[in-house]
Amino acid sequence: MQDAILKINHLTVAVQEFNKETLLVNDLNLEIPRNRITALVGSSGSGKTTTGLAILRLLPQALYMKKGAIVWEGQDLMNLSENQMRLMRGKKIGMVFQEPLNAFNPVFTIGFQIGEVLKQHTTLSGPKINDEIVRLLTTVGVDDPPRILNSYPYQLSGGLRQRAMIAQAIAASPSLIIADEPTSNLDVTLQAHIMELFRKLRDELKMTILLISHDLGMVVHLAEQVAILANGRMVESGETKSIWQHPRHPFTQQLKQKMVI
Amino acid sequence: MLLELQGIKKYFPLKQRWGGKPSEVLKAVDNVDLTVAEGQSLGLVGESGSGKTTLGRIILKLIPFDAGRIVFEGQDITPFKGKQMRQVRKQLQMVFQDPYSSLDPRFRVFQLLDEAMLFEKEMKLADKEIFFSGLLKDVGLSADVLNRFPHEFSGGERQRIAIARALVVKPKLLILDEAVSSLDVIIQSQIIDLLLTLQKKFNLTYIFISHNLKVVKRISRRVGVIYKGKIVELAKTDELFNNPLHAYTKELLAAAIEYKPLSIRPTIALDGEFNFVDQGQEHFVLKSLGH
Amino acid sequence: MTRNTEHVSEFQLALRSFKKNRLAVCCAMILFIFYAGAIFADFLSPYSYRNEDRNYSYCPPTPVRFFDEGKWVGPYIYGQTLTFNEFYRRVYQTDTTRRFPVRLFVQGDEYKLLGLIPSRLHLVGVQEGARLYLIGADSRGRDLWSRILYGAQISLSIGLIGVLISFSIGLIVGGVAGFYGGWIDNVLMRLCEMVMMVPGFYLLLALRAAVPDDFNSVQIYFAIVVILSFIGWAGLARIIRGMCLSLREREYVLAAKSLGLSDFKIILRHILPHTVSYSIAAVMLSIPGYILGESALSLIGLGIQDPYASWGNLLSDNMSIVRIKFAPWILWPGVFIFLTVISFNIIGDTLRDCLDPMMKAERK
């Protein structure tokens, strides 16, 4: 059994709406093994994105963690101060968002924004930063790094933007990448490329990836472990192959049945 | 023949010279010919930027185009404007990709449906309510939806409302532009089921535009593959999926089914003269005249 | 799976958070009181705005007393007589021989309530023989408090009417320019810029100079309103044009087009309503400009003329250090202008802040 890089224990996230408390994530327990791709699968409203945000303590103000611990290398992330947490973000745990247009600041170039991450978390400076950005962009499969470096987010196609965002996420060499619906806005053709890229991150850069998605079909081709969420609860988890071949929970069965083709 | 497209061209200028023809153009739709027979739903697949969305909007004359003709039910609607076009629009409707932005958030569902009824304004309020309730039931929603606002519904429900709105005028041809692409896979499947049911009930013909081949396979009788503004292959659905002939189609299928990444472009040359050749059993492939 | 939420419009949501801001609610109440005071000025003021008595020129505020030799007798005042001291300065001697009770609901100067119903009823007053100056008198002995109330009618209404006209013009111009783009947009925006280019105050003066001399006061009033609206529409038009430019790309606009709606209907139903929320905040923030514009004109004698009162021309009496030193109460109209302008600004700012996050929430 692989050792776990991150352990989520009894995570419960709630929100106060109209004087009523609704649980978005309900007693979630999950171990994320090192150097593997683990997937969190569920439909919208299942709590999977909320879980991803909770790990990095990036929950929107209205949501709060009611209960639970998120243990990273023996330390509960919930006990860290905001400053300490900020050091974790980017450096130890990186995040890739669903819509790169929203994640990038439209008035700064890609190079500037990736550079920000490098300045924050590494000791690089000056021309070395640009070299590093070019190297990162090449790693994620960008064809013409110097051009992309000087481009603004709106000038790039969806696929390129997503790659740029992944480059930004891995810039400080984090051990864990949380990818929230990274291909949902992309074509099937681009989807395959990004999946390939994640495999590369796992195999060559030895990163661990937590993939959040609603597409079980895609997950089956990419992740070794999967956890299925419904209404904030985990209904099934384990090795992807065995869950796909013998789904036990009715929700998982329904998911599989509804997969077209 | 319900719809015929002949030689449709839409070019976007990239570099504009002062007063004159642009020096560089983007050929969003490059000399497209298509026919759609009644009851024979057509799927159009391609990547983003291939021109499929542009083509969909051109069919509805929502955007102007540079060359070609659109023939609908035997009538050349290319020069139609204003009132004339509005009559045609009753038969041609569209369901858009984003259920969150295709419904005006300030309107209640009743008003959204009511707006679509341009020419039957003489209908009494009570009759309208009955009519709309019936429509909503057909798309799987209850009648009390009428009084609510779009933001109270989930993506799948909103898309059902959008479909209901498109059906208000009882169209013959419904264009669905990536109508399920922004929904979860489970909901996608439900909407596809709904569309198939509605097709039988109302005798609709669909043009289903998508990059998602799995979904297109379920809903189309014929499938056309678009690449860089040109249709590179067109065949009956099973034939296309089992026997893809064009290089691009093969790669597209590999990416969609096995998630194999496409080879690095450009491999497929599109310059020069082309012919749309029938390889037998109405399976058309774009071949350059060099072959 | 439908969420059971109460359906409120974005404006109602904004109003809710607006109510939570105490400062803004306070300002709203201030403005409400001012406007109510303006509407019922005739009733609330002890005297008509024309009621003058040169024997009481620059009379300081009459102190209202309640006790006489330690006994409670109710509110009353003493009569005042004008005398001059050895430096030829005005001094008012109080005549303590006779008490003039301050009564409620007294009969006083005649007026027409709301312009229709003749009446003589005033909220407070004293009988003949003494004059009640709550905050003092001006050079002709007119009660400043009354004149401030009457002045509110003009100053506050000019702001509202002017902004309504500008807003309507701005909506139309901005809506058309933003929706169609292209050369229409170009032409209209250059027009806006030409109007905005001329320094506001000079444009104001120039337009005022163009008004014929023989206009009576009512006509001058409307002329001023039109002039102010003419200057103000350009800024609003630009804001609305910007919003329309982005709104027309929304998919529901495309959907409306595909349903066959005419352009006019699309602009009216689908685009302009989405600008109203933000426009209201913009409108609130521009009303002070109109009030100050009218005040500026009246201050230099080009606005509302005597005997009519507006806050601006009330201040014009006072362009003299000597007078301000010896009759400081004549600055009170300035305080009211200040409070009004600040209140509109705070309300406008708060409304805009409240509406902003709602706009983001509107998306999903």
Side-chain angles (χ1 to χ4, degrees):
Chain A
M1 183 63 199
Q2 283 286 322
D3 74 305
I5 195 173
L6 187 77
K7 289 191 194 151
I8 303 175
N9 298 330
H10 300 289
L11 179 65
T12 308
V13 178
V15 64
Q16 278 276 358
E17 262 184 334
F18 306 108
N19 295 326
K20 209 177 45 142
E21 190 184 68
T22 319
L23 294 178
L24 298 174
V25 180
N26 199 343
D27 201 39
L28 179 67
N29 293 296
L30 186 62
E31 283 192 13
I32 299 175
R34 201 178 285 274
N35 204 13
R36 291 271 180 275
I37 301 180
T38 307
L40 269 181
V41 176
S43 19
S44 43
S46 58
K48 51 190 202 301
T49 301
T50 312
T51 308
L53 291 173
I55 295 175
L56 277 176
R57 282 173 49 181
L58 287 176
L59 288 172
Q61 256 197 336
L63 279 62
Y64 53 94
M65 229 187 78
K66 206 166 161 214
K67 214 176 34 152
I70 300 185
V71 183
W72 168 270
E73 294 179 347
Q75 214 185 11
D76 185 0
L77 295 179
M78 294 301 135
N79 291 335
L80 294 180
S81 73
E82 180 59 26
N83 277 334
Q84 289 169 315
M85 194 64 213
R86 209 170 329 124
L87 291 172
M88 292 281 298
R89 292 186 198 122
K91 183 96 186 103
K92 298 282 176 60
I93 306 179
M95 189 147 184
V96 177
F97 296 91
Q98 178 174 2
E99 178 50 76
L101 253 186
N102 292 337
F104 276 122
N105 189 329
V107 300
F108 293 116
T109 59
I110 301 284
F112 181 89
Q113 299 190 54
I114 302 184
E116 273 187 319
V117 179
L118 291 171
K119 279 190 207 136
Q120 170 86 353
H121 290 290
T122 65
T123 52
L124 292 172
S125 61
K128 293 217 186 91
I129 288 199
N130 277 355
D131 292 338
E132 177 67 10
I133 299 178
V134 167
R135 192 189 68 82
L136 284 166
L137 288 171
T138 320
T139 313
V140 298
V142 167
D143 269 337
D144 187 359
R147 179 178 79 91
I148 305 301
L149 205 150
N150 288 319
S151 300
Y152 290 92
Y154 72 87
Q155 292 175 309
L156 305 179
S157 69
L160 269 177
R161 266 199 296 265
Q162 191 63 286
R163 288 179 201 271
M165 186 151 74
I166 295 176
Q168 190 188 38
I170 65 173
S173 308
S175 329
L176 171 66
I177 300 268
I178 303 177
D180 187 1
E181 306 264 17
T183 60
S184 301
N185 285 356
L186 302 175
D187 279 353
V188 282
T189 53
L190 298 167
Q191 197 174 32
H193 280 283
I194 301 291
M195 287 165 68
E196 180 81 0
L197 179 53
F198 279 129
R199 284 189 207 107
K200 184 175 170 183
L201 293 179
R202 173 196 60 192
D203 298 331
E204 288 175 32
L205 297 180
K206 305 289 179 213
M207 290 184 178
T208 312
I209 301 189
L210 176 62
L211 178 66
I212 301 175
S213 173
H214 64 79
D215 189 349
L216 187 55
M218 189 257 287
V219 160
V220 161
H221 278 93
L222 188 55
E224 291 103 334
Q225 316 277 123
V226 68
I228 318 267
L229 267 73
N231 283 336
R233 281 186 197 278
M234 182 161 75
V235 299
E236 199 161 352
S237 78
E239 252 190 64
T240 319
K241 279 207 191 70
S242 58
I243 290 194
W244 180 254
Q245 277 163 358
H246 306 290
R248 276 179 299 171
H249 195 275
F251 182 72
T252 324
Q253 289 166 350
Q254 190 193 30
L255 259 182
K256 180 177 174 186
Q257 196 189 42
K258 293 284 187 182
M259 293 292 123
V260 195
I261 288 190
Chain B
M1 215 38 72
L2 189 60
L3 176 76
E4 256 186 84
L5 297 176
Q6 297 169 357
I8 303 285
K9 288 186 188 162
K10 172 77 183 164
Y11 296 162
F12 288 103
L14 283 178
K15 284 201 189 129
Q16 191 85 31
R17 253 178 289 176
W18 275 87
K21 284 217 234 149
S23 52
E24 248 185 72
V25 283
L26 175 67
K27 295 186 183 170
V29 180
D30 195 2
N31 209 3
V32 163
D33 295 318
L34 265 186
T35 57
V36 182
E38 195 161 335
Q40 304 272 321
S41 296
L42 174 74
L44 275 177
V45 292
E47 308 167 47
S48 46
S50 57
K52 53 191 197 310
T53 300
T54 314
L55 188 59
R57 299 203 174 161
I58 284 177
I59 297 177
L60 250 63
K61 292 190 72 176
L62 289 174
I63 56 179
F65 51 97
D66 300 308
R69 295 200 318 158
I70 305 177
V71 179
F72 183 72
E73 289 197 302
Q75 261 187 323
D76 183 354
I77 66 170
T78 318
F80 279 25
K81 277 202 231 290
K83 242 191 184 167
Q84 257 186 330
M85 193 60 214
R86 270 181 244 154
Q87 284 292 342
V88 175
R89 285 204 195 286
K90 279 208 285 181
Q91 309 289 336
L92 277 170
Q93 281 296 307
M94 192 162 192
V95 177
F96 297 84
Q97 171 175 7
D98 188 355
Y100 292 98
S101 62
S102 61
L103 303 173
D104 191 328
R106 308 184 127 249
F107 283 46
R108 289 178 206 265
V109 173
F110 182 88
Q111 291 163 300
L112 287 168
L113 295 176
D114 190 29
E115 200 179 34
M117 300 194 65
L118 285 171
F119 301 100
E120 263 90 19
K121 280 205 170 11
E122 301 85 39
M123 217 194 247
K124 291 211 193 95
L125 189 69
D127 292 332
K128 274 190 201 171
E129 275 190 23
I130 299 177
F131 178 48
F132 293 157
S133 304
L135 260 181
L136 287 170
K137 198 162 154 225
D138 284 328
V139 298
L141 295 170
S142 65
D144 61 6
V145 154
L146 282 173
N147 258 324
R148 311 248 206 98
F149 289 97
H151 62 74
E152 301 178 50
F153 299 101
S154 68
E157 287 164 333
R158 284 194 214 193
Q159 207 59 308
R160 289 175 198 262
I161 296 173
I163 294 174
R165 175 174 67 178
L167 294 177
V168 163
V169 284
K170 306 198 180 109
K172 287 223 179 98
L173 183 64
L174 196 57
I175 302 187
L176 297 128
D177 184 7
E178 304 272 15
V180 295
S181 304
S182 55
L183 306 171
D184 277 356
V185 285
I186 294 192
I187 315 281
Q188 274 183 13
S189 172
Q190 290 171 351
I191 301 289
I192 300 292
D193 288 335
L194 172 67
L195 286 170
L196 289 170
T197 315
L198 291 172
Q199 183 174 36
K200 282 201 207 97
K201 181 164 184 186
F202 292 107
N203 199 20
L204 299 165
T205 310
Y206 294 135
I207 296 183
F208 198 88
I209 302 174
S210 178
H211 62 78
N212 188 334
L213 280 115
K214 299 179 187 176
V215 151
V216 164
K217 187 180 185 201
R218 275 191 69 194
I219 206 168
S220 324
R221 277 297 178 90
R222 293 194 307 152
V223 176
V225 180
I226 295 191
Y227 178 61
K228 290 209 177 131
K230 283 196 168 60
I231 302 202
V232 297
E233 194 165 349
L234 180 67
K236 294 210 185 77
T237 313
D238 287 329
E239 171 71 11
L240 189 94
F241 277 75
N242 294 330
N243 186 20
L245 291 176
H246 197 276
Y248 181 69
T249 316
K250 292 183 194 166
E251 293 205 5
L252 202 60
L253 281 170
I257 317 275
E258 297 151 44
Y259 296 97
K260 260 181 66 186
L262 258 60
S263 57
I264 305 182
R265 255 58 81 47
T267 51
I268 299 155
L270 280 183
D271 298 319
E273 291 278 305
F274 284 93
N275 239 345
F276 213 42
V277 181
D278 186 355
Q279 303 289 89
Q281 291 170 317
E282 296 204 347
H283 186 152
F284 296 91
V285 181
L286 197 70
K287 276 192 151 24
S288 75
L289 286 185
H291 287 110
Chain C
M1 180 204 80
T2 328
R3 284 179 59 203
N4 277 325
T5 54
E6 357 164 354
H7 41 272
V8 286
S9 75
E10 60 184 69
F11 197 63
Q12 282 171 302
L13 274 171
L15 265 178
R16 267 196 215 165
S17 41
F18 182 86
K19 285 186 203 160
K20 289 191 194 150
N21 185 325
R22 290 223 195 112
L23 182 60
V25 173
C26 200
C27 291
M29 289 207 285
I30 289 178
L31 285 180
F32 179 71
I33 293 173
F34 283 6
Y35 273 91
I39 296 177
F40 295 105
D42 305 280
F43 173 67
L44 294 169
S45 53
Y47 300 99
S48 150
Y49 62 95
R50 315 178 89 118
N51 191 326
E52 60 181 64
D53 189 341
R54 305 249 174 178
N55 292 320
Y56 289 90
S57 174
Y58 288 117
C59 178
T62 30
V64 178
R65 298 161 217 269
F66 294 91
F67 295 93
D68 194 2
E69 290 154 18
K71 270 196 304 168
W72 169 270
V73 287
Y76 69 94
I77 61 172
Y78 287 127
Q80 309 224 327
T81 349
L82 177 59
T83 60
F84 290 91
N85 67 10
E86 65 264 28
F87 298 107
Y88 300 102
R89 289 261 141 77
R90 285 191 185 83
V91 173
Y92 280 88
Q93 305 277 13
T94 319
D95 174 8
T96 52
T97 51
R98 200 180 148 191
R99 289 204 315 253
F100 291 88
V102 175
R103 282 191 240 272
L104 292 175
F105 300 107
V106 296
Q107 295 288 316
D109 297 327
E110 197 173 310
Y111 64 90
K112 283 205 181 115
L113 186 65
L114 298 175
L116 296 170
I117 312 164
S119 167
R120 293 190 63 160
L121 196 65
H122 291 262
L123 182 62
V124 288
V126 290
Q127 61 182 104
E128 289 292 321
R131 285 168 75 83
L132 174 67
Y133 291 113
L134 286 168
I135 53 173
D138 69 358
S139 63
R140 295 207 239 164
R142 295 179 292 197
D143 177 23
L144 195 58
W145 173 247
S146 306
R147 282 177 62 80
I148 287 180
L149 280 170
Y150 278 98
Q153 286 182 335
I154 293 188
S155 298
L156 292 179
S157 67
I158 280 190
L160 276 188
I161 299 178
V163 111
L164 275 170
I165 298 178
S166 297
F167 185 52
S168 312
I169 302 178
L171 261 187
I172 296 176
V173 171
V176 168
F179 185 76
Y180 286 108
W183 65 269
I184 298 182
D185 180 24
N186 252 326
V187 165
L188 288 175
M189 283 304 110
R190 302 297 81 82
L191 193 63
C192 275
E193 282 157 20
M194 284 200 291
V195 171
M196 289 168 75
M197 202 169 52
V198 183
F201 194 60
Y202 293 100
L203 189 57
L204 203 58
L205 291 180
L207 290 171
R208 177 65 179 88
V211 171
D213 287 336
D214 52 0
F215 266 19
N216 67 33
S217 286
V218 176
Q219 289 170 312
I220 291 183
Y221 172 85
F222 281 111
I224 294 177
V225 169
V226 167
I227 292 173
L228 289 172
S229 320
F230 181 74
I231 296 179
W233 68 265
L236 276 165
R238 284 182 69 85
I239 295 178
I240 292 178
R241 170 245 183 203
M243 296 180 73
C244 289
L245 267 182
S246 83
L247 282 169
R248 72 166 178 193
E249 304 299 331
R250 296 265 174 101
E251 258 186 12
Y252 52 78
V253 173
L254 204 56
K257 248 190 183 176
S258 75
L259 292 174
L261 270 84
S262 65
D263 284 344
F264 177 68
K265 281 210 190 115
I266 294 180
I267 297 181
L268 206 60
R269 271 201 226 169
H270 287 283
I271 298 203
L272 286 182
H274 284 269
T275 65
V276 162
S277 315
Y278 193 82
S279 304
I280 289 189
V283 158
M284 287 278 157
L285 289 170
S286 44
I287 290 184
Y290 292 82
I291 296 180
L292 289 172
E294 179 274 320
S295 303
L297 271 183
S298 302
L299 185 72
I300 55 178
L302 292 178
I304 305 294
Q305 305 288 343
D306 234 39
Y308 297 105
S310 90
W311 290 347
N313 79 8
L314 286 178
L315 284 175
S316 73
D317 266 355
N318 316 324
M319 304 221 278
S320 145
I321 292 270
V322 176
R323 294 212 192 115
I324 293 179
K325 181 166 159 65
F326 290 103
W329 52 87
I330 54 183
L331 287 175
W332 270 105
V335 173
F336 282 82
I337 297 181
F338 172 76
L339 284 174
T340 309
V341 166
I342 277 219
S343 298
F344 271 116
N345 274 325
I346 289 180
I347 292 178
D349 269 342
T350 315
L351 255 186
R352 195 184 44 204
D353 289 341
C354 291
L355 284 166
D356 243 329
M358 297 310 139
M359 286 208 192
K360 287 185 206 145
E362 190 203 275
R363 263 261 129 191
K364 251 188 193 184

